Amino acid sequence: MSLGRLDNFIGFRLRRIQNYLSSAFTAESVALGLRPGEFSALAVIAANPGVSQGTLAREVGLDKSAAVAVIDDLERLRLAERRRLTADRRRHALYVTGDGEAALDRLFAKLETVERDVLNALSPDDLQVLSSLLDRIYHSCFRQDA
Amino acid sequence: MSLGRLDNFIGFRLRRIQNYLSSAFTAESVALGLRPGEFSALAVIAANPGVSQGTLAREVGLDKSAAVAVIDDLERLRLAERRRLTADRRRHALYVTGDGEAALDRLFAKLETVERDVLNALSPDDLQVLSSLLDRIYHSCFRQDA
DNA sequence: TATTGTTATACTCTATAACTATA
DNA sequence: TATAGTTATAGAGTATAACAATA
């Protein structure tokens, strides 16, 4: 089976590698009761304690209505919690619980294992180069951040 | 907004870049009436004239039942066609039509534009390095191909 | 009047299994 | 009995708009 012209595009190779990484990781994620996307939401809350739902949604690429379901789920699992802000009672500030931090430790450990397996074709120097090339692309695309 | 520990993982950056690439491309794709995934199916048929539905499905990562809907769509748009094989009348051989080739030319041109925009932070030499690093990862993951 | 979060709804995707026609 | 393709169906994911509370 040939991929033909598709094979000339970097985006196609990015997608194949990324699909592989994420399917390997998803198994660990669902083992903790998390659906795809909930892990990154939890990680972003952990990195930004008190973040609002709207800001989180924008950052993770979710619709604000989809964010409701994600946070409902995280609360149900006692991994994160909403706290109504007194300053602006429309807003919820989001925080990760102790259980949430423990889950993140476990998930990040798995993520490291998965990446190590997939990236073991490259030397540490190669990885450094790859990382810096991706950074340069990333920053040229997303420099206009909020 | 910080991404916290997430930012240390190459897979996360791969995903952001790939999301960006694919959302920019999807617009052109739907303008031609194609749904996501149908473009790559069409490209693989073009690269492998006479391929069967099952083989195509495996290659593109579709379920065989999902492949039916994709090919129905491609036939309805007159971009590809099924031909019943006389040797084994259970099978359909798939072919791209003239319209299909024209659509592919247009779509691949768009793909080049999108990639150029996103990857313009890198010099041709850098792109060559990136491409070869991704290839090495890819081949170490998928060497056990069919 | 605008914004934050919520609910409702519809649409798309995906995954599964049952079915047909051929082998 | 096994395989290629099809159909039917249910579940998850996503996108949209209407809504309540608050600003």
Side-chain angles (χ1 to χ4, degrees):
Chain A
M1 280 295 299
S2 155
L3 294 170
R5 286 196 266 176
L6 227 36
D7 206 31
N8 300 326
F9 292 87
I10 283 182
F12 190 76
R13 269 169 279 176
L14 284 178
R15 186 157 68 97
R16 300 268 307 225
I17 294 169
Q18 197 264 307
N19 282 349
Y20 191 87
L21 281 166
S22 78
S23 69
F25 176 67
T26 295
E28 184 77 1
S29 183
V30 300
L32 285 169
L34 292 177
R35 288 177 297 188
E38 296 188 346
F39 161 67
S40 48
L42 189 61
V44 169
I45 296 171
N48 303 273
V51 66
S52 73
Q53 292 189 198
T55 305
L56 172 69
R58 222 176 309 116
E59 187 67 20
V60 182
L62 284 172
D63 189 81
K64 63 177 179 169
S65 66
V68 173
V70 165
I71 297 158
D72 282 352
D73 229 41
L74 294 177
E75 268 197 330
R76 187 179 51 73
L77 295 165
R78 310 252 181 253
L79 301 179
E81 60 188 29
R82 293 169 166 100
R83 296 186 207 151
R84 182 73 72 178
L85 280 175
T86 48
D88 180 346
R89 293 183 39 73
R90 292 173 303 182
R91 294 196 189 204
H92 284 142
L94 303 174
Y95 296 91
V96 172
T97 66
D99 282 1
E101 294 289 358
L104 281 173
D105 285 343
R106 182 171 153 188
L107 288 162
F108 275 114
K110 176 65 178 183
L111 203 48
E112 272 170 37
T113 304
V114 167
E115 286 217 346
R116 195 158 36 234
D117 285 353
V118 170
L119 303 178
N120 71 358
L122 304 188
S123 71
D125 279 358
D126 289 336
L127 280 179
Q128 191 55 51
V129 171
L130 176 61
S131 194
S132 117
L133 290 172
L134 292 176
D135 263 357
R136 282 165 55 201
I137 296 172
Y138 176 84
H139 287 116
S140 87
C141 291
F142 304 107
R143 48 182 126 63
Q144 66 295 355
D145 266 357
Chain B
M1 280 293 301
S2 154
L3 294 170
R5 285 196 268 176
L6 228 35
D7 205 33
N8 300 325
F9 292 88
I10 283 182
F12 191 76
R13 269 170 279 174
L14 285 179
R15 185 157 70 98
R16 300 268 308 223
I17 294 168
Q18 197 263 309
N19 282 349
Y20 192 86
L21 281 167
S22 78
S23 69
F25 176 69
T26 295
E28 184 78 1
S29 182
V30 299
L32 286 169
L34 292 178
R35 290 176 297 190
E38 297 188 345
F39 161 67
S40 48
L42 189 60
V44 169
I45 296 171
N48 304 274
V51 66
S52 73
Q53 294 190 199
T55 305
L56 173 68
R58 224 176 308 118
E59 188 66 19
V60 183
L62 285 173
D63 190 81
K64 63 177 180 170
S65 66
V68 173
V70 165
I71 296 158
D72 283 351
D73 230 40
L74 294 178
E75 267 197 329
R76 187 179 51 74
L77 296 166
R78 311 252 182 251
L79 302 180
E81 59 186 31
R82 294 169 165 100
R83 297 186 206 151
R84 183 73 73 177
L85 281 175
T86 49
D88 181 345
R89 294 182 38 73
R90 292 173 303 183
R91 294 197 188 203
H92 285 142
L94 303 174
Y95 295 90
V96 172
T97 65
D99 282 1
E101 294 290 358
L104 280 173
D105 286 343
R106 182 171 153 187
L107 288 161
F108 274 114
K110 177 66 177 183
L111 203 49
E112 273 171 37
T113 304
V114 168
E115 286 216 347
R116 194 159 36 234
D117 285 352
V118 170
L119 303 179
N120 71 359
L122 304 188
S123 70
D125 278 359
D126 289 336
L127 280 179
Q128 191 56 49
V129 170
L130 175 61
S131 193
S132 113
L133 290 172
L134 292 175
D135 263 357
R136 283 165 55 201
I137 296 172
Y138 176 84
H139 288 116
S140 88
C141 291
F142 303 107
R143 44 183 130 63
Q144 66 294 355
D145 267 357

